[in-house]
């Protein structure tokens, strides 16, 4: 693995923030699928930097060029690969970071692992920018899943303690969530969104950053999908989601809240609705024993505050092992959470498409 | 995958709660390792049922019989396999559950996936009992890691809102945590442990159950271990830990708490200590960019309340799609959290040994 | 991998020739399949030792005991595991072999790899006996495939230069091959079989052994199965078939013969038969570009002469690095080829079932 | 898998013969390795078309552009990706092939698998041209292995029945084989090479093609590398080598010849040489029980005659299911064997580097 994920659909990500290009190869995507390039462009736009006041000033169109695997816009069965060429890099901003690592970043761990050969410019392979190729693959999977009746919605659940409206996990109003996709600031309740943006603006003014939580809902997945133990839907999503930079926590359904509850409160009663078995509540987040229940899959990821802050921080000069103060230059998001929203959708879609493609086989 | 996990060390778990036996095969364990069978027995004992008032009345010695891969107690390089024979099953207790699934269990999802052919007795392959063979493998890995200077400690962080003492993530007192292994109720602060046991007893008296959180610390892992993106230490642990039944959440370091903080609070300053680079705090939980920093790896898993409760619950008779009330018979833990503690250690050890074995290769 | 093979169906083999038992776990076998235990017994019998004059005198019923994954004889979706208990071992026969390795065996390579900790008795994990658990899994897969219209037939193609009748690769008479399964000596032409047995008897009388070729035909596989490049049907079969001890060569269709031909001779003309596209000849062995053509899959494996011979051989005492003559004791087949026939069928069936289960997914 | 191979080093190949580019991503290549770009260029040149009379007239420099994973020419630990841009395509040559498949090609099987969406131009993803990116990865691995003392040599063993000089498998003269790398026609005995070229010229004159055998020797691999059963060196090489288009057979050491021998002839006596255990002969081809013996690894692959011939051939119009005669246009090698030689080296090197990187871990 490493920068490759999936079994039936294998997504291989390559690039560094300031390499000639970043890109992705998708091996196993079914032939004959017409990619909606406008839709893909809109999706990429949601993650792209420079959209508003609180994201990095670096501007990149981030529009992918498909190199292989498509004829016109239709997949041909061969591995699909796409590149995003890098421009507008300011590599000089980063030169010092190999010597004095930034707190909260992978500078130090990469230095130890790669012995100083790592590409440190712009965060190298550890940059959040590596999510752009993931989003290419993710958008294709989202489009594919949608044709199968499966939709993936994420929104900002909270930033710095300010929470968006709650989703009814047992009866997710798709419309409510669907609208989020078109918003510049992806929340359900725009008033709360305004509050969050104030929190971000204040952090920025303080030369600081702030974290948050992204919530994701996947609807339309039939019951009975997934494998027990180590290859369940939770396991698969978990492995993938921790690949998004800054994710430090993950919970399904009631998650950590369940630890506070009694069984009689947390168990979801079964009921019959429209001749189908459903649960009255969805504290289990759509997965029981690793296998889908037919209820919406609901999970939340905790995203730490952007470690790059303009304030002086304490670090160590590695060569001399002397402590020194570090001031980071470069352009950074005071809050990465809004741009993480499509990334969470993309990763979830890749996993779900892989799982769906792996199929269920009886005889 | 499914019931197999690992790359270099592959652990394959088999069995159902009421099959002739449950067991495990460990492929790739290095030859020439002498298993301390007494230590393994003590470890199995920590997970075994029937130890005290709040665990199920089912008693099983759970001592494994090694079938292959060892000569005397020394591994010979061939796959190691071990069985635990099942006795003392009351299979009749479970017959109704195929028809009327228990809320919060995998009964319904297994029914859809396996078309009614699944073994429902005692929870079948979904039973928490399947953690016993995982613990065999886990104990071997723990013993192996210990010789490499790596130790894994878990304790009950909280049950039903009552919290154990906090661990200093940046300077884990190994002694404090090491003692936990020998305690019948695995907490740091025994007074808090007493409170927790009261919470459990009360839930039991109410024919109910209660959930909690297990915290785990891994010490002695050098910096520079792990891979970026999808194969980092967080990804690997995450995939494995969600294989423990009832786990619904996972966080590393500050985890969900980080979502509430600012970068200046959450970033861990680098410092020099004993001529080594350390961080002053350990909010990152020992992993940055998927790669170990040399600080202790710290994570927490949320464990939902045991879904099996003696109270009447609402369910559905699947054949007729009619709602009906269900009363579960059989023996069940009012709180699975104490027995989950060694399971968390076992799973973490299997992952870490696999990662360590995969090695780091330069030239 | 190592002793595990497969993606969708994972077969994990464990045991040593003289361990308490040898066994297999099959993860991912579909639920609800009724194993025909009589058929499985007959299949195991074909590989079992002690059937006739030219196989080892060691007698073992080799009947597996299913431990998990079945209710009655019906698979329940949980991993299926089965054991064959070892009896009748003469472990003392082997004690010297760690010190003075047998030519042509894995004694020396295992010694280097496992540092002397390997189980050398009876060949340990390298024994041909490890094919017995493979045959358990293989028989289940053969039964499953048969219900899908896919059959696997192997016969002795040649022993020591004596060749069986040729198979018409483009129009395999299934009856002709099917009869082979019921024969004690698995050839099409029994007269040739008598000749082969004379060759074996002569080798045995000379305290020697002899090799041969097994040919295998798989019918009923639809066109369009398999993946290009590294995951085609040839790749998958190749990886698995070299897991059978003593296999040193593999060819598909015309194989090495194709290297002598011109394109105009080796290319298979397309034609229409019964409204289906077929090829007039089948020099391609049913696979083009890694993908099945709908024609029978045909391959041959070369099996070296049993390395265990009663003659004196030259070896080296490893401790002292001095050359010395070695005389091997123990019971050995003068020709392993007849017993390899069901092993080839078993391995081919495991691969094909895995491939078929992995499925083809369009939208 | 599919177009991805490897565990520790993952090589992912993408592209179609007439896509914008073809390329490769190498995930897991160690950081800090300086690629000798001249050496890489020379290696690519050996596979490149248009070098002489008997290869296709299509000319491409085939020089890769490294996009990611290198700083200067030094690997940085991030996935290395490289592209070869396609020019000089004559896509119109291929338009008919979707309707009337070429005998011996993957046209028909791809049509069934991909439902007509496959890219048929130039053979699409099935083109031998896809070996160019494999050779990029292969050249890097060859350079890496060489620094570890491991070398990979291949030569044309035979073409159309004309054989090159034999290699002494037990004592491979590296110089003799090393010279082959610099020759335009890669044989040991240039007189035999002239004969082979006459065979090819004659086939070309007859509008036909001819097959052959490539032999490969890997020296310097220490004893004790590899895993038993399904993950041995033979298994791993086999899986990869059948990914080279037109390979239909593979044998190690004596291979199919061993099937004709007695044990006393085929077994390799152990001896002591320079204080090391060696075998006097190397009929086992350097691998016993899946594990290296320290002797040279020797294998041969059978390569079928190029299926593209200018002669009229019998095919079927798929839409109407009517038989018709087909004449293939385009440029084709009358013999692919010379250009297959570096491809075999490349694939062998990728596998061996992966195996070596996976390492051997004791404690």
């Amino acid at each position: 693995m490493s920068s490759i994920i999936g079994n039936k659909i294998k997504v291989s990500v390559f690039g560094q923030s300031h390499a000639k290009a970043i890109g992705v190869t998708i091996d196993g995507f079914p032939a004959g699928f017409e990619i909606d390039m406008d839709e893909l462009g809109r999706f990429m736009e949601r993650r792209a930097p420079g959209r508003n006041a609180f994201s990095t000033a670096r501007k990149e169109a981030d529009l992918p060029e498909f190199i292989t695997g498509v004829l016109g816009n239709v997949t041909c069965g061969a591995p699909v690969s796409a590149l995003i060429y890098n421009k507008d890099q300011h590599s000089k901003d980063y030169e010092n970071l190999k010597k004095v690592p930034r707190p909260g970043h992978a500078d130090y761990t990469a230095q130890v692992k790669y012995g100083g050969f790592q590409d440190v410019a712009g965060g190298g392979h550890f940059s959040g920018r590596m999510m752009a190729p993931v989003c290419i693959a993710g958008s294709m999977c989202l489009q594919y899943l949608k044709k199968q009746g499966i939709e993936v919605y994420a929104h900002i659940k909270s930033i710095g303690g300010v929470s968006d409206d709650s989703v009814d996990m047992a009866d997710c109003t798709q419309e409510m969530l669907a609208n989020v996709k078109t918003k510049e600031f992806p929340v359900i309740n725009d008033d709360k969104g305004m509050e969050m943006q104030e929190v971000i603006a204040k952090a920025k003014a303080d030369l600081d950053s702030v974290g948050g939580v992204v919530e994701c809902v996947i609807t339309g997945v039939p019951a009975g999908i997934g494998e027990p133990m180590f290859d369940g839907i939770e396991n698969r999503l978990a492995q993938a989601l921790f690949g998004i930079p800054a994710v430090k926590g993950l919970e399904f359904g009631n998650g950590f809240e369940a630890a506070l509850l009694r069984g009689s409160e947390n168990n979801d009663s079964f009921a019959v609705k429209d001749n189908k078995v459903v649960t009255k509540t969805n504290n289990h987040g759509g997965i029981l024993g690793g296998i889908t229940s037919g209820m919406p899959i609901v999970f939340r990821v905790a995203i730490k505050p952007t470690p790059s802050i303009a304030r002086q921080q304490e670090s160590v000069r590695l060569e001399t092992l002397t402590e020194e103060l570090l001031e980071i230059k470069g352009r950074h998001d005071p809050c990465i959470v809004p741009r993480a929203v499509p990334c969470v959708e993309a990763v979830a879609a890749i996993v779900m498409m892989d799982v769906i493609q792996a199929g269920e086989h009886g005889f």
Side-chain angles (χ1 to χ4, degrees), chain A residues 31-96:
Chain A
F33 186 82
E34 183 167 8
I35 305 169
D36 181 334
M37 289 295 176
D38 292 335
E39 172 64 27
L40 189 141
R42 281 190 296 273
F43 188 77
M44 296 306 289
E45 185 64 27
R46 291 173 59 200
R47 197 213 69 87
R51 294 177 74 202
N52 49 35
F54 48 83
S55 87
T56 164
R58 178 177 178 179
K59 279 185 213 305
E60 306 226 7
D62 274 359
L63 283 185
E65 182 182 342
F66 283 82
I67 303 294
T68 71
V70 289
L71 292 176
N73 293 336
V74 180
T75 56
C76 70
V80 177
S81 64
L83 295 182
I84 299 170
Y85 291 97
N86 280 326
K87 310 159 205 162
D88 189 28
Q89 309 102 316
H90 294 208
S91 289
K92 281 175 200 156
D93 291 353
Y94 297 92
E95 263 181 18
N96 190 47

Side-chain angles (χ1 to χ4, degrees), chain A residues 48-236:
Chain A
R51 294 177 74 202
N52 49 35
F54 48 83
S55 87
T56 164
R58 178 177 178 179
K59 279 185 213 305
E60 306 226 7
D62 274 359
L63 283 185
E65 182 182 342
F66 283 82
I67 303 294
T68 71
V70 289
L71 292 176
N73 293 336
V74 180
T75 56
C76 70
V80 177
S81 64
L83 295 182
I84 299 170
Y85 291 97
N86 280 326
K87 310 159 205 162
D88 189 28
Q89 309 102 316
H90 294 208
S91 289
K92 281 175 200 156
D93 291 353
Y94 297 92
E95 263 181 18
N96 190 47
L97 304 181
K98 231 174 204 171
K99 297 169 183 162
V100 185
R102 294 169 295 178
H105 271 285
D107 299 340
Y108 173 64
T109 57
Q111 174 74 17
V112 175
K113 180 174 178 67
Y114 300 117
F117 292 105
Q118 74 279 9
D119 183 1
V120 78
H125 191 60
F126 295 89
S127 166
R129 181 153 175 70
M130 294 313 298
M131 283 297 113
V134 170
C135 283
I136 299 173
S139 179
M140 287 176 61
C141 293
L142 284 164
Q143 292 181 27
Y144 180 94
L145 289 171
K146 192 166 189 173
K147 296 210 171 168
Q148 310 258 354
I150 297 170
E151 304 219 34
V152 180
Y153 306 99
H155 70 119
I156 301 173
K157 175 68 185 168
S158 71
I159 283 180
V162 180
S163 294
D164 193 12
D165 285 358
S166 289
V167 165
D168 178 349
M169 297 195 292
D171 184 21
C172 300
T173 312
Q174 300 194 9
E175 292 71 30
M176 179 173 85
L177 281 162
N179 286 341
V180 170
K181 285 191 201 293
T182 62
K183 296 183 182 178
E184 192 164 306
F185 197 83
V187 288
I188 297 169
N189 183 327
D190 294 331
D191 290 341
K192 293 292 182 181
M194 291 299 291
E195 274 186 61
M196 292 178 194
Q197 291 178 66
E198 282 161 29
V199 167
I200 298 171
K202 195 159 180 318
K204 187 180 182 183
D206 293 348
L207 305 182
D208 214 334
S209 64
V210 67
V213 173
V214 173
E215 183 172 61
C216 185
V217 175
I218 308 171
T219 61
V221 182
I225 305 289
E227 301 288 335
M229 296 207 76
F230 301 117
D231 212 20
I233 302 299
E234 288 161 325
N235 312 68
R236 295 288 300 276

Side-chain angles (χ1 to χ4, degrees), chain A residues 224-266:
Chain A
I225 305 289
E227 301 288 335
M229 296 207 76
F230 301 117
D231 212 20
I233 302 299
E234 288 161 325
N235 312 68
R236 295 288 300 276
L237 284 168
Q239 187 200 4
L241 289 162
F242 280 104
I244 302 174
V247 168
K248 296 300 277 189
L250 169 64
E251 59 179 14
F252 293 89
N254 263 359
F256 277 88
E257 176 80 11
L260 300 169
L261 300 179
R262 284 187 162 194
S264 59
E265 298 166 307
N266 192 60

